[in-house]
Structure formats: C-alpha cells, structure tokens
Amino acid sequence: MKSIEWLGDALRILNQSKLPAEIVYRDAVSYESVAEAIENMEVRGAPAIGAAVAYGFVLGALEYQGDLDGLPAFMERVQARLAETRPTAVNLFWALRRMEDRLRECWDMDDIEDVRKVLIEEAGRIAEDDRRMNRLIGEQGKEIIPEKANILTHCNAGALATVEYGTALGVIRAAHEAGKKIHVYADETRPLLQGARLTALELIEENISVTLIADNMAGYLMQQGKVDLVIVGADRIAANGDTANKIGTYSVAVLAHAHGIPFYVAAPTSTIDLKVATGQEIPIEERPAKEMRECFGVPVAPEGVQVYNPAFDVTPAKYITGIITEKGIVSAPYSVNLLKLMVRS
Ligand SMILES: CSC[C@H]1O[C@H](OP(=O)(O)O)[C@H](O)[C@@H]1O
C-alpha cells in the first residue's frame, strides 16, 4: 500500500483514516483537497506529509489561471494554506521551503508551463529522496537489531507514514529481510489507533511476526523481560536531541529507561530541526475532542466530558539511546553529534 501516488495531474491519497476496514482513495486535483486530507489525517506521518504538501504546492501551480506575474502572490496563498494544516512535523515546513526555493529560481522563466515542470520535478525529488533515505535508515538500523529480538514500537512509522518502506518500520523490515527472526510488539496507540490499524496491517501483510498490545501494557511487558529494544519514528528532532513523536512515546521512553532497555528513534535528517534548541520549543498539535470521545463513530465517553487531546509529546534526549538516520546512527551528546551529522554529505 502506498500513502500517496502522483498521477501526473492529481495526487492519489490512500485514506488511512478508513484502514484497515476499507481501502478508499482520494484523487486530489487541488491544493485545498490535499490540505483537507492532511487535516483529516487521511495522509499522516511526517515524511508522507512532507511529500503530500510538495505535490499540494504543485497542484496549486496547476490550478492557477492567471498570467505569470500573478503567480507568486497566488502561490503565497497556497503555501499559507498548506502550512496551517498541522504544526508539529517539521517535514511539512521543510518540503514547503524546498518548493518555494525552486519557485524563486524560476523568476526568469517566461512560460508558466516551464515553471510547473520545475515544480513537478522538485516534488518528485522529494518523494524519491524519501524512498532512498528510508532504505538507508533500514540498512543503518538493522545492525543494532539482535537476532530474535523482541521489538516494541509505538504508533505507525511505516510505509504508510512515508512515501515508501518507513523509518522505524524500515529498520524492522531491513532486519526481517536480512533473515533476523524478530518479533514486534505494536502499541495500539490511542486515540486514533495508528498502531492497531496501520502498523499491525503493514507487518501482517509482510509476514513479520507482530503482537498487538494496548498502550497501557507496555510497562508490564518490559517488567516481564519481553522487550529487548524500542524503536519509534519522529515528527521533529530538536538540536539537543529532544524528540517529538506520537503521544505516549515519552511514557514508553521513560519505562524503557527504567528497565534498562535501549530506546531508538529512526528518522531522516529532514526531521532534524537545528533551529529548535530544545524540545520545549516544538509546537504540539492539539486535536479535536471528538477523536477522544468517540472511537470511529462509537461514543466511548459522555458527550459533554472535557477532553485533553495532544497529538504528540516530547521525549528528552537523555532517554534516547540513539537516533538512526540515513547518514548514520548518532548518540549523545546530540547537540554536537547532530550538528556533525547534518554537515556530513
Ligand atoms: C515516520 S514518522 C511518523 C510519525 O507521525 C505520526 O504521527 P501522525 O500519525 O499524527 O502523523 C507518529 O508520530 C509517527 O511516529
């Protein structure tokens, strides 16, 4: 299953909010349609969101009907609309910046079709870079996966969270493809159940051994000695290594630390945001109360109950054993080693 697919004049989006019960696609032909798909979490996952907004930017340029002089002002509105969809995953803003930079390089062009071609090519490079980086993350990360390891993961950092292959699940895939007999414990990941609905689906489809657990079972599993290491994805990594990821990741990290279990983050370097000194500066998205009060349309709480629904939390760097990227695995002190990594070719 692909999270997104460029059709040449539309972006095919797999509606992940319907999985695993239904396979439903949206063929987006407007930037507004892409924005809505991101806000509704039809497409989600930091790298997948990055590639989706890149093509959303392209669709904006394809929609534009005016002359070339008016394109910059129109594209500023497109950028603003896409940028307001979700605040935490830095890949969204990194991809938009790449598209804006390419558009600025087109000012001397006099044919809008040439500009559109440049933007389509750039969005294609963003998607292809993600495919390539995830496999490199897998190759780097599989070396830290022991034979017969029991691995716990949280949320979905798989093919569905990226353009292809996944980051945390990319490492798990690479270890499996290398013949390691691993077993995965997948946290269901309330409230939207990305672990139950997406991670379990991806792993079962590829015959990777997986057990689904409720989020509140992770500690008990560790206490029984059934977890050898934890590996998760990331939405934004601060310069000091503090990492924002799906809500509940911090709890898993503290539990792993208490039990002496290695805790790894897998992410492309496009998720590292050196402009953010610590995790305290990372904006944490709060999502609609409905997502807590209902479970896919079925009420699970009284209609009037107050709700707190942060979509992410921040794991302090001291709980992170290593950060697995396409350029290599870094460990503490992250403020030094992440900087070195980012300048490494
Ligand atoms: C490969 S990073 C995926 C990352 O994104 C998820 O959040 P969401 O489903 O809300 O987009 C989660 O934090 C994953 O680790």
Side-chain angles (χ1 to χ4, degrees):
M1 274 176 295
K2 290 183 179 177
S3 57
I4 60 169
E5 184 181 1
W6 178 244
L7 303 179
D9 57 0
L11 182 65
R12 175 157 292 172
I13 296 171
L14 172 58
N15 185 343
Q16 296 185 38
S17 70
K18 302 288 187 186
L19 291 175
E22 296 175 82
I23 297 181
V24 176
Y25 293 96
R26 172 201 289 247
D27 285 357
V29 293
S30 69
Y31 71 91
E32 179 59 30
S33 183
V34 173
E36 288 168 8
I38 294 169
E39 286 171 336
N40 300 336
M41 293 184 66
E42 295 178 27
V43 55
R44 35 62 55 192
I49 291 171
V53 295
Y55 280 114
F57 196 86
V58 168
L59 289 170
L62 295 178
E63 283 177 83
Y64 177 68
Q65 296 298 314
D67 58 34
L68 206 47
D69 294 344
L71 183 63
F74 181 80
M75 293 309 291
E76 280 178 17
R77 292 198 294 278
V78 172
Q79 188 276 344
R81 177 65 182 103
L82 293 168
E84 72 180 11
T85 51
R86 296 186 74 191
T88 304
V90 69
N91 310 60
L92 189 158
F93 306 97
W94 167 85
L96 276 178
R97 243 189 333 273
R98 261 185 70 166
M99 297 305 290
E100 289 170 281
D101 290 349
R102 293 295 284 147
L103 180 60
R104 264 193 291 276
E105 291 166 11
C106 298
W107 289 152
D108 58 351
M109 290 182 175
D110 51 21
D111 184 338
I112 196 165
E113 289 311 320
D114 293 340
V115 177
R116 287 167 173 157
K117 185 170 179 296
V118 165
L119 295 178
I120 290 171
E121 287 169 354
E122 186 64 14
R125 272 192 288 273
I126 288 174
E128 188 49 38
D129 286 351
D130 188 60
R131 291 186 190 95
R132 179 176 50 81
M133 287 192 282
N134 293 338
R135 279 184 164 68
L136 289 173
I137 291 169
E139 285 308 300
Q140 300 278 356
K142 73 178 182 184
E143 301 309 323
I144 58 102
I145 305 286
E147 178 61 40
K148 297 183 181 171
N150 290 298
I151 305 165
L152 185 136
T153 190
H154 189 73
C155 197
N156 173 259
L160 290 168
T162 62
V163 176
E164 195 175 83
Y165 204 67
T167 54
L169 292 199
V171 172
I172 287 168
R173 280 190 168 94
H176 176 72
E177 289 159 6
K180 297 187 180 184
K181 299 282 179 279
I182 56 174
H183 181 80
V184 178
Y185 288 100
D187 279 352
E188 62 177 357
T189 316
R190 280 271 303 156
L192 294 182
L193 305 179
Q194 288 93 324
R197 298 186 300 107
L198 308 177
T199 293
L201 179 64
E202 285 194 43
L203 296 179
I204 281 179
E205 283 204 334
E206 293 180 31
N207 297 316
I208 298 174
S209 179
V210 56
T211 299
L212 177 64
I213 62 169
D215 300 331
N216 53 15
M217 297 175 187
Y220 183 50
L221 211 56
M222 293 180 191
Q223 191 181 44
Q224 296 176 73
K226 291 183 176 178
V227 177
D228 298 309
L229 79 147
V230 177
I231 187 162
V232 298
D235 291 83
R236 193 181 302 220
I237 300 170
N240 72 341
D242 293 349
T243 296
N245 196 53
K246 182 53 50 191
I247 187 72
T249 303
Y250 168 58
S251 311
V252 169
V254 171
L255 283 166
H257 189 264
H259 290 278
I261 296 169
F263 179 94
Y264 286 95
V265 171
T269 49
S270 56
T271 305
I272 299 167
D273 184 359
L274 294 180
K275 292 193 302 300
V276 171
T278 73
Q280 289 180 336
E281 299 168 43
I282 298 175
I284 299 297
E285 177 186 14
E286 288 206 28
R287 293 198 55 89
K290 183 169 188 248
E291 293 177 358
M292 286 282 291
R293 292 197 189 115
E294 295 179 7
C295 198
F296 299 92
V298 177
V300 291
E303 177 53 41
V305 68
Q306 287 188 63
V307 163
Y308 178 44
N309 187 16
F312 302 98
D313 57 26
V314 175
T315 297
K318 67 181 180 182
Y319 294 117
I320 300 174
T321 308
I323 298 175
I324 304 165
T325 77
E326 75 282 6
K327 294 184 178 178
I329 302 177
V330 292
S331 51
Y334 291 109
S335 47
V336 171
N337 293 334
L338 286 177
L339 198 56
K340 284 181 184 172
L341 182 80
M342 293 303 273
V343 298
R344 192 185 302 170
S345 59

